[in-house]
Amino acid sequence: MRNILPIRLDLLLLILGFLIVLGTSLVLGLIGHFFYWLLYDSFGRYEKRAKRKLKCINNQRDDEYYVIIIGTGFSGLGMAIKMNDLGMDNYIVIERYGHVGGTWYANKYPGCACDVPSNLYSFSFEPNPKWSHYFSRQPEIAEYLEYCTDKYNIRRHIHFNTNVTKLKWIEEQKLWQVTTQSNSQEKIFYARSIVLGSGPLSNASYPTDILGIDRFEGQMCHTAEWDQSIDVKNKRVAVIGTGASAIQTVPEIQQMNVSQLLVFQRTPPWVIPRLDRSITDWEKNLLKRFPIIQKLIRVIIYWIIESVALSFAYRWSLKFINDKLVKYNLERQVKDIELRKKVTPTWEFGCKRMLITNDWYSTLQKSNVKLITNRIKQIKSHSIITYDGDEYPVDIIIWSTGFQTQKFPLPVYGINGCSLTEQWSETIQAYRGVTVPNFPNFFILLGPNTVLGHSSVIIMIESQINYIAQAFLYMDQNNLRSIEIKEDIYEKFNKDLQLKLKRTVWQKGGCHAWYQDAKGNNTSLWPDFTWIYILLMKNFDYENYIFRT
């Protein structure tokens, strides 16, 4: 009893401190929200902005569009909806798959779900009262995006099953030449502007340091390219990786009557409990009848989650509280000392993506599950060999090894044939994550340093869409053919950004995550509160751009 009481008191104080921080963040956030409305949206200002339209409509040739949008995930669909709001019908959306949804169509592995609360992981202008859980599952998110596509009449603009193979700026015409391929046929379109909405998590990544991957004779797939024909029943299954996809799919696969499940771990993750539950029909009907309630819930969730930036970006005292709570969660769930050592990270909480789950640790302790921490050396026709010489027979290999976040897959050529791949060969960066020098009228959604480590990327996407829309309106009002960010502004922005990142947990936390390039530069994350980014993107800063008529 003497030992238990201090531990419980310590835990109680930690939780109390955590709740105080969250409560303070919520109160200050709601006050800030009110002043934001007062300054920007009150007295008809929001309605006035919403009524602004583009004038130059349908005055191009048949194969020339005002804008070509690439991708139909949240980014691409959100941009298409904004084009409709601007009164612009002369645009197309290019999608490589046969359905909308982007990553939420492609990722169909067992257990696939969002790790951001549903009410925050959706368009602010299109709340969904039908979510079945606090954290929505992949099929529901895919259905939501299909619904938005049809409600806003976007489908008629989409070219499905079409790959963009090259983008080239034609200086004489101030147009982008877009080369596409569909059904083995090449086609060329032209556009004044390009909006790249393919996102950083769109191309699966496989390890390059493991021999013999191509020699495996069993079934094999990546979580991002799930093979629906795979049947794991009574099979020996290996899941390689312990990141965000693995912690969702491993517990699901374990329940599918596998004879053995081998989990190959390179670095263990920090995990936090998933405060999830089913949403009752009564609640759904209430949200449908009173949409204002759902908007209020979204605001509350937003400001509570925003407080996490105090720990990750600013490393305030909340960091100490969070560290203690995640360690307590681990110790509570994993009693075996040896297993606990294997699943305890050596880096700070938050340095890599925090993973939200209730069944990761319990699954690793099941009788048919084995955690392997020795690195994989080689894959043979029916087995995996680690560097310590152990050989594990397997029937199925599932790669859960992330995405190619540091490799730009699309050939893009700007002014004087400048290659975006070559320009980004030293490090990937953009101005506010959206524009790049030498590439006029080229806009990126969820570009460099605008992914988040603590909140919903939909917030960032909507801010970027607003910024791009304002750029279009400014060009339209001033009869401009092209805009391009100034080199010195671009360089200064990214220099300041990297200096700020060096003080965050993502750089000082003692890990190497997918957020970083080979040199250790963080090219992925926004190093601050999202409300700062919202304010930064509120108005188009035309003085920082080069204009051509």
Side-chain angles (χ1 to χ4, degrees), residues 309 311-315 319 348 350-351 497-510 522 525-528:
S311 174
F312 293 174
Y314 290 89
R315 298 166 67 80
K319 172 188 172 302
E348 291 182 35
C351 185
L497 190 76
Q498 289 301 321
L499 285 173
K500 197 166 202 175
L501 275 161
K502 290 186 186 303
R503 299 191 291 268
T504 68
V505 71
W506 303 300
Q507 293 297 95
K508 295 185 70 175
N522 192 319
L525 294 182
W526 174 247
D528 217 321

Side-chain angles (χ1 to χ4, degrees), residues 305-443:
I305 291 179
E306 195 74 340
S307 67
V308 179
L310 292 171
S311 174
F312 293 174
Y314 290 89
R315 298 166 67 80
W316 283 13
S317 56
L318 181 61
K319 172 188 172 302
F320 170 80
I321 297 173
N322 286 339
D323 287 349
K324 290 288 186 181
L325 287 174
V326 294
K327 288 176 182 176
Y328 172 79
N329 180 56
L330 169 59
E331 292 168 3
R332 180 179 63 86
Q333 294 195 53
V334 183
K335 302 300 183 183
D336 182 88
I337 301 298
E338 289 303 313
L339 179 59
R340 190 188 298 172
K341 286 180 182 178
K342 289 182 178 181
V343 297
T344 301
T346 57
W347 37 270
E348 291 182 35
F349 173 64
C351 185
K352 290 191 177 186
R353 186 173 181 85
M354 61 176 179
L355 304 183
I356 304 175
T357 175
N358 292 329
D359 46 15
W360 174 248
Y361 291 140
S362 60
T363 299
L364 294 181
Q365 297 173 78
K366 299 292 185 181
S367 59
N368 64 339
V369 178
K370 182 178 179 64
L371 180 68
I372 301 163
T373 57
N374 292 309
R375 291 185 62 181
I376 298 172
K377 180 180 181 180
Q378 182 183 0
I379 292 178
K380 299 178 74 174
S381 58
H382 294 285
S383 63
I384 295 174
I385 300 175
T386 56
Y387 272 92
D388 61 357
D390 289 339
E391 184 170 359
Y392 300 91
V394 294
D395 304 305
I396 297 170
I397 295 177
I398 296 168
W399 299 93
S400 185
T401 46
F403 299 86
Q404 298 177 33
T405 57
Q406 300 297 330
K407 183 180 178 182
F408 193 71
L410 179 62
V412 182
Y413 301 95
I415 294 174
N416 298 322
C418 176
S419 165
L420 184 59
T421 301
E422 290 179 11
Q423 185 165 314
W424 278 354
S425 60
E426 290 297 317
T427 186
I428 297 174
Q429 56 187 22
Y431 177 65
R432 300 185 180 181
V434 176
T435 55
V436 183
N438 301 313
F439 297 88
N441 298 3
F442 182 74
F443 305 93

